[in-house]
Amino acid sequence: MDQIVSLCKRRGFVFQSGEIYGGIQGAYDFGPLGVELKNNLKAAWWRSLVHERDDIEGLDASILTHREVLRHSGHEETFTDPLVDCRACKSRFRADHIEDGICPNCGSTELTPPRPFNLMFKTNMGPVEDASSFAYLRPETAQGIFTNFKNVLDSTSRRLPFGIAQIGKAFRNEVTPRNFIFRVREFEQMELEYFVAKGTDEDWHQQWLDLRLDWWRAQGLDRDHLTVLDVPKSDLSHYSKRTFDILYRFPHGDEELEGIANRTDFDLGSHSKRNTDLELDAHVRANTKSNAQLRVRIEAENKWAVPYVIEPSMGVERGVLAILVESLDSEDLGNGNSRTVLRLKPHLAPIKVAVLPLKRNHEGIMQTARTLRRELMATGVGRIFLEDTGNIGKGYRRHDEVGTPLVITVDFETIEGDGSVTLRDRDTMAQKRYAKDDVAEVVRDYYRSG
Ligand code: GAP
């Protein structure tokens, strides 16, 4: 993990938030390369679900959340972690992070019994701080999907099965944020709520598990580094009938990367008006103030029903961390030399092509490099970077380390000779010369074929 943290800071992937004031715990900022990697991961998820399927709609709901939403979702009552205080050093820990009743900070055994601590961040809207202005920062993006269920249904005329996908910030007042960006207080989630008819839910649950494992492999994670945990009944969230966790082999152990839950009719049922003729399976909260009936018409059975929902839910930061861990490689080049290389899948790489002029103070070379950069930009493959340090060896090393798949060198042969450039492949280090005018097409083909 130290290697990852150091690379992230040195090369501009991730910084501690508020670092110049000593840092704020559990919050991180994504730097110039980190934001590209994160955006590429989000785009891959969105493309695979919303653009490439014809049964999923997108949504972007607000972060500020009405208290009633999180009361009826069950979060006010149950979204807690067991908190333990150390009487000696006054540190606080999650009870499940303590071993053998010993304070991890000072070693004392003077610990309080665990008490529930609600993880939701509270705030007030407007100038007056009272109950009427109270709001939560959402702890999951999912509730925005459930509360917009009828809006999406009415505006799109979807029928079961169909899904609603969303990417956005979530906030949790974690007792002990830790392991770099693995457990933080502010993070992004990518959540799909896939609505299905009751009775087909178990089959869909398995299908989504398989689809999600395939997706992670397409992002470059080795299948052997992923395990599936069928979460024991005693550990299930309050809304879940069954959950599969996809665990990744992080440096600190096999830990949750994504959860795929069968949330039954719990949420839509909880937010629906009472006294309906609906048969609900889940235990739902009474006395909702909502006037909505979040249901679908089942024509074959001539009745209304609240659908079941399968929810694949992942944290973007955990995804980024897993991809960095998986991609970071140190390659022995012989004779005591080695190189650090980030073997990112090309579609995730922050920089798609680096253009390296052999000499930075040679106007002819620089001019050609600038023109080439513009031509490559026009291919639309992503960020093209003009690396004008004038040191080819350093440029290769830097771009290997940040995962740039292709580097193109402009030299004297380009401007005075046959007009060719050198294209170097990050993974094989193979170099091949191409006519300057053909190289944009070569780059386009490279990214088209993934
Ligand atoms: N809507 C369901 C839900 O929120 P969850 O298992 O609590 O379920 C889903 O969270 C995913 O969100 C997790 O698999 C993880 O990737 C991510 N996540 C949860 N808490 C996180 C935290 N404190 N920091 C970073 N990511 C987190």
Side-chain angles (χ1 to χ4, degrees):
M1 188 72 103
D2 288 348
Q3 244 185 312
I4 299 274
V5 176
S6 147
L7 174 80
C8 283
K9 163 107 192 196
R10 200 160 25 87
R11 293 301 191 191
F13 282 92
V14 183
F15 309 123
Q16 176 73 60
S17 188
E19 193 180 15
I20 60 168
Y21 289 106
I24 177 170
Q25 236 204 339
Y28 286 89
D29 300 335
F30 281 76
L33 297 187
V35 65
E36 297 284 349
L37 173 55
K38 204 177 180 203
N39 284 345
N40 291 340
L41 185 65
K42 291 192 283 186
W45 186 87
W46 194 262
R47 200 168 43 243
S48 75
L49 295 180
V50 183
H51 291 183
E52 288 176 3
R53 296 178 62 109
D54 58 7
D55 57 352
I56 296 177
E57 302 286 351
L59 183 79
D60 184 13
S62 76
I63 288 168
L64 290 167
T65 305
H66 198 298
R67 180 174 196 166
E68 290 300 318
V69 171
L70 291 157
R71 194 201 299 274
H72 289 285
S73 68
H75 284 79
E76 267 202 350
E77 199 180 306
T78 56
F79 197 60
T80 57
D81 271 346
L83 179 71
V84 167
D85 290 277
C86 172
R87 291 196 176 97
C89 71
K90 311 292 177 215
S91 305
R92 290 181 160 168
F93 302 96
R94 251 172 67 166
D96 55 335
H97 289 168
I98 288 181
E99 278 172 34
D100 304 326
I102 296 169
C103 170
N105 190 39
C106 72
S108 164
T109 50
E110 289 293 299
L111 304 177
T112 62
R115 63 193 159 85
F117 169 71
N118 195 293
L119 299 182
M120 289 195 291
F121 278 97
K122 307 170 178 85
T123 189
N124 286 86
M125 308 213 299
V128 183
E129 288 194 17
D130 65 11
S132 68
S133 65
F134 180 92
Y136 284 114
L137 301 187
R138 64 184 177 196
E140 59 168 3
T141 67
Q143 294 305 321
I145 297 181
F146 299 130
T147 53
N148 277 293
F149 177 80
K150 192 164 167 7
N151 289 332
V152 175
L153 200 62
D154 289 351
S155 55
T156 62
S157 309
R158 286 284 179 187
R159 285 165 203 277
L160 296 183
F162 76 97
I164 305 177
Q166 176 168 219
I167 301 176
K169 289 266 184 180
F171 299 82
R172 295 182 188 180
N173 198 3
E174 297 284 353
V175 178
T176 40
R178 54 160 126 179
N179 295 316
F180 192 37
I181 53 173
F182 177 82
R183 186 178 307 287
V184 286
R185 291 183 170 134
E186 173 178 342
F187 56 101
E188 274 187 281
Q189 286 187 316
M190 304 206 273
E191 298 200 294
L192 167 67
E193 305 302 325
Y194 195 77
F195 300 100
V196 302
K198 176 184 163 185
T200 64
D201 51 305
E202 289 176 11
D203 186 38
W204 276 111
H205 198 191
Q206 185 61 47
Q207 282 194 45
W208 275 109
L209 172 62
D210 297 342
L211 284 168
R212 296 305 302 149
L213 285 167
D214 287 349
W215 187 82
W216 281 115
R217 285 178 52 208
Q219 310 319 307
L221 300 192
D222 187 330
R223 182 62 184 83
D224 290 344
H225 297 164
L226 297 167
T227 38
V228 176
L229 173 73
D230 193 348
V231 177
K233 282 238 167 332
S234 56
D235 292 346
L236 289 175
S237 302
H238 61 279
Y239 48 70
S240 175
K241 169 177 155 183
R242 189 178 186 191
T243 297
F244 298 124
D245 279 351
I246 298 179
L247 312 182
Y248 177 70
R249 191 174 301 169
F250 287 103
H252 57 285
D254 285 5
E255 292 262 15
E256 180 183 341
L257 173 64
E258 169 161 355
I260 302 156
N262 182 344
R263 292 180 78 135
T264 70
D265 56 7
F266 181 87
D267 299 273
L268 292 183
S270 294
H271 293 306
S272 286
K273 188 180 168 189
R274 288 288 84 80
N275 306 323
T276 65
D277 54 354
L278 297 174
E279 304 155 13
L280 290 172
D281 287 334
H283 160 73
V284 294
R285 262 121 265 282
N287 305 323
T288 178
K289 289 181 183 162
S290 148
N291 245 333
Q293 294 196 334
L294 307 179
R295 58 188 191 173
V296 289
R297 182 89 188 142
I298 311 280
E299 295 298 348
E301 296 173 38
N302 192 26
K303 67 171 194 184
W304 291 92
V306 175
Y308 267 44
V309 67
I310 305 299
E311 178 199 62
S313 166
M314 63 161 285
V316 181
E317 284 73 5
R318 285 192 192 178
V320 167
L321 184 59
I323 283 161
L324 288 173
V325 169
E326 186 80 33
S327 314
L328 187 60
D329 188 19
S330 176
E331 187 179 350
D332 186 358
L333 301 175
N335 299 328
N337 295 321
S338 66
R339 66 170 183 148
T340 302
V341 53
L342 204 55
R343 299 190 190 276
L344 295 170
K345 285 275 180 187
H347 70 280
L348 295 176
I351 297 171
K352 301 301 182 204
V353 185
V355 178
L356 256 78
L358 180 68
K359 286 206 176 303
R360 70 171 158 189
N361 48 10
H362 189 284
E363 194 38 42
I365 288 183
M366 285 308 293
Q367 190 55 43
T368 306
R370 280 190 220 106
T371 307
L372 183 60
R373 179 180 171 275
R374 273 199 303 277
E375 286 167 9
L376 293 172
M377 286 244 311
T379 62
V381 298
R383 188 154 185 220
I384 313 294
F385 193 84
L386 181 66
E387 178 75 57
D388 61 355
T389 50
N391 183 327
I392 303 296
K394 248 190 181 166
Y396 284 162
R397 272 201 300 284
R398 175 182 143 81
H399 284 282
D400 281 347
E401 214 182 359
V402 302
T404 307
L406 301 173
V407 176
I408 296 175
T409 307
V410 177
D411 54 22
F412 287 106
E413 191 64 25
T414 321
I415 58 162
E416 293 168 0
D418 61 4
S420 65
V421 293
T422 305
L423 187 137
R424 175 188 184 264
D425 182 285
R426 174 197 70 199
D427 293 329
T428 61
M429 292 191 290
Q431 299 186 17
K432 202 170 162 188
R433 288 199 83 95
Y434 289 93
K436 177 166 56 67
D437 295 341
D438 294 345
V439 80
E441 199 47 43
V442 173
V443 165
R444 201 182 276 120
D445 283 351
Y446 176 89
Y447 281 101
R448 211 180 274 141
S449 60

